[in-house]
């Protein structure tokens, strides 16, 4: 597609997001999609079984004279998408969202390139799971193959630390408002996927390779926390200071939890390292469901965790399902009266008390 076409689709998508016309969404999907075709890689490297566990050996494929579609990491060769770069754990098929434009600039680079961007969301949770997975898989590329890592994202410190530890000799550049990178060699690392282990379906937080979990259990360890948090093993992570998905009776929830020994914190006011250390030290956490649950990747011992949700449905429960089954968290949940998962809401204090009692959090 030409740059002009990309530019037209970019602004058409922006208009559609404002007007929310269902028919225009379907039309844009049709124009935004490229043909998909199988393509054997020109080069292929694998991590060892121990570095990949519990996955089969993770791979990085390389394609000559290819194009990297930066918003989602998909690779095009001769104008056709390599299907392995479209797989997402939520669908296992080509995801239409991966075709939407997030920019229209085209950049040409002389050497090999790779992307850690595997999702459309700038959400911290998605960046952490998919970005760290991609960075880890890129460790399969031999040292004698130079390449540059590109990202559209402003990386959180924990991802910068992982990059510096795992791939310190690979240049990293942030490309803003860029749709495509054209390069003589484009690398495509394995994507995070569903897997089975000991008869269980593993997905969500538990679907990270063992070496990545080991890194996250060490990140921020021993960092200095405020004294009030060091002496508070029970934490409440609310939604104060936010403009959407607000818990309208949060002050009542705070008062109830304070009686049970919970300290209320605003998670966004702490660094990545501090957030990981707080979750690592805690014995019980009550949190409004959001990106902060990614910090559960730091825990080293079983934790009592109550999730507060805007609605009464169980959408998104698969994120924690394997953690619960494997005994990493003892879980409770309270749904609110919101119309959807982004609505403002209230929760029933009696229901919260019941979950606290059930988990022996008196």
């Amino acid at each position: 597609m030409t740059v002009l076409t990309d530019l037209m689709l970019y602004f058409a998508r922006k208009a559609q997001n404002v007007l929310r016309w269902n028919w225009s969404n379907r039309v844009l999907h049709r124009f935004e999609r490229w043909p998909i075709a199988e393509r054997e890689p020109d080069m292929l490297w694998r991590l060892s079984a121990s570095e990949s566990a519990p996955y089969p050996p993770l791979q990085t494929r390389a394609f000559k004279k290819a194009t990297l579609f930066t918003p989602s990491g998909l690779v095009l060769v001769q104008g056709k998408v390599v299907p392995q770069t479209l797989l997402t754990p939520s669908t296992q098929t080509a995801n239409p969202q991966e075709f939407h434009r997030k920019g229209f600039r085209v950049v040409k680079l002389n050497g090999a390139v790779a992307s850690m961007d595997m999702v459309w969301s700038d959400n911290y949770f998605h960046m952490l799971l998919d970005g760290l997975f991609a960075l880890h898989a890129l460790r399969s590329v031999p040292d004698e193959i130079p390449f540059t890592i590109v990202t559209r994202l402003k990386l959180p410190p924990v991802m910068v630390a992982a990059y510096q530890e795992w791939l310190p000799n690979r240049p990293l550049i942030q490309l803003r408002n860029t749709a495509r990178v054209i390069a003589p060699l484009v690398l495509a690392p394995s994507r995070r996927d569903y897997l089975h282990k000991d008869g269980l379906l593993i997905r969500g937080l538990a679907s990270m390779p063992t070496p990545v979990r080991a890194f996250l259990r060490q990140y921020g360890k021993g960092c200095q926390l405020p004294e009030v948090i060091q002496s508070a093993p029970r934490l409440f992570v609310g939604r104060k200071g936010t403009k959407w998905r607000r818990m309208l009776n949060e002050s009542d929830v705070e008062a109830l939890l304070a009686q049970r020994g919970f300290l209320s914190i605003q998670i966004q006011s702490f660094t990545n390292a501090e957030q990981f250390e707080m979750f690592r030290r805690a014995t019980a956490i009550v949190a409004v469901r959001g990106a902060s649950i990614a910090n559960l990747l730091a825990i080293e011992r079983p934790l009592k965790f109550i999730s507060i949700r805007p609605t009464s449905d169980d959408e998104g429960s698969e994120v924690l399902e394997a953690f619960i089954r494997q005994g990493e968290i003892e879980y409770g949940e309270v749904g609110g009266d919101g119309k959807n998962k982004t609505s403002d809401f209230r929760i029933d204090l009696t229901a919260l008390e019941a979950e606290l009692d059930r988990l022996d959090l008196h």
Side-chain angles (χ1 to χ4, degrees):
M1 288 189 178
T2 66
V3 175
L4 180 59
T5 303
D6 281 351
L7 181 61
M8 292 173 62
L9 286 170
Y10 174 75
F11 285 109
R13 173 58 63 184
K14 281 188 170 293
Q16 192 278 330
N17 287 339
V18 173
L19 299 173
R20 298 188 181 279
W21 290 338
N22 290 333
W23 65 268
S24 64
N25 195 40
R26 291 192 295 270
V27 171
L28 286 173
H29 277 169
R30 187 177 304 119
F31 281 100
E32 287 172 332
R33 296 177 76 90
W34 288 283
I36 301 172
E38 291 288 345
R39 170 84 181 211
E40 289 296 317
D42 296 293
M43 301 178 188
L44 177 68
W45 305 282
R46 291 183 175 89
L47 284 178
S48 67
S50 61
E51 291 174 310
S52 304
Y55 286 83
L58 300 179
Q59 302 177 343
T60 298
R61 301 175 177 88
F63 301 90
K64 293 181 178 178
K65 297 181 180 179
T67 299
L68 173 68
F69 185 50
T70 53
S72 62
L74 66 82
V75 177
L76 299 99
V77 181
Q78 296 179 345
K80 297 180 180 179
V81 177
V82 178
Q84 293 89 341
T85 64
L86 277 173
L87 293 178
T88 61
S90 61
T91 64
Q92 301 298 296
T93 58
N95 183 351
Q97 289 293 326
E98 301 209 10
F99 290 86
H100 297 177
R101 271 38 174 191
K102 294 283 278 192
F104 46 84
R105 189 164 62 110
V106 175
V107 174
K108 292 185 178 180
L109 296 179
N110 293 325
V113 298
S115 174
M116 70 179 73
D117 298 350
M118 294 295 168
V119 293
W120 271 90
S121 172
D122 294 344
N123 182 280
Y124 169 66
F125 175 90
H126 295 149
M127 277 198 288
L128 203 60
L129 268 67
D130 293 280
L132 289 182
F133 193 100
L135 280 176
H136 176 62
L138 286 170
R139 299 167 77 180
S140 61
V141 183
D143 292 340
E144 60 269 22
I145 305 292
F147 68 90
T148 298
I149 303 170
V150 299
T151 177
R152 75 184 194 283
L153 306 170
K154 182 179 180 182
L155 301 180
V158 61
M159 288 187 65
V160 175
Y163 155 73
Q164 292 172 340
E165 180 167 323
W166 297 342
L167 301 166
N169 299 318
R170 311 297 194 183
L172 170 66
I173 58 175
Q174 184 183 14
L175 298 174
R176 296 181 181 274
N177 197 33
T178 299
R180 290 174 286 168
V181 176
I182 300 172
L185 190 68
V186 176
L187 312 184
S190 292
R191 288 176 176 246
R192 187 171 59 91
D193 206 344
Y194 293 163
L195 67 148
H196 289 83
K197 177 185 176 184
D198 301 328
L200 295 176
L201 176 64
I202 307 297
R203 52 188 177 177
L205 290 176
S207 67
M208 299 298 281
T210 302
V212 179
R213 286 295 307 276
F215 168 81
L216 295 173
R217 285 183 174 126
Q218 292 300 314
Y219 178 74
K221 198 167 190 175
C223 73
Q224 189 64 36
L225 295 175
E227 179 61 34
V228 66
I229 293 178
Q230 291 184 36
S231 58
R234 296 182 178 184
L235 301 175
F236 168 53
V237 182
R239 294 285 295 172
K240 279 187 175 178
T242 60
K243 296 181 179 179
W244 61 285
R245 198 154 49 93
R246 297 171 300 173
M247 185 161 55
L248 301 178
N249 60 339
E250 185 163 332
S251 58
D252 296 329
V253 172
E254 276 186 324
L256 169 61
L257 291 174
Q259 296 173 6
R260 306 274 184 129
F262 282 81
L263 175 69
S264 177
I265 61 170
Q266 290 182 270
I267 196 75
Q268 65 271 20
S269 64
F270 296 92
T271 66
N272 266 176
E274 290 169 336
Q275 291 177 33
F276 270 59
E277 184 69 345
M278 284 190 291
F279 273 63
R280 191 178 293 120
R281 290 187 181 204
T283 59
I285 294 175
V286 176
V288 178
R289 178 70 64 86
S292 65
I293 65 170
N295 297 317
L296 287 169
L297 289 165
I299 64 175
E300 300 174 305
R301 58 183 178 181
L303 171 75
K304 295 181 179 181
F305 185 83
I306 295 178
S307 176
I308 295 177
R309 300 176 50 76
T311 64
S312 57
D313 61 46
D314 62 350
E315 183 183 355
S317 60
E318 70 278 357
V319 170
L320 296 173
E321 182 181 20
F323 253 35
I324 299 166
R325 290 183 179 180
Q326 293 178 160
E328 296 202 53
I329 60 175
E330 193 175 349
Y331 184 68
E333 183 169 291
V334 179
D337 61 359
K339 294 181 180 179
N340 55 59
K341 63 182 180 181
T342 62
S343 300
D344 293 345
F345 66 98
R346 296 177 183 273
I347 67 163
D348 184 341
L349 297 183
T350 304
L352 177 57
E353 285 184 299
E355 285 296 271
L356 291 165
D357 291 342
R358 186 177 64 82
L359 295 181
D360 201 26
L361 293 170
H362 300 290

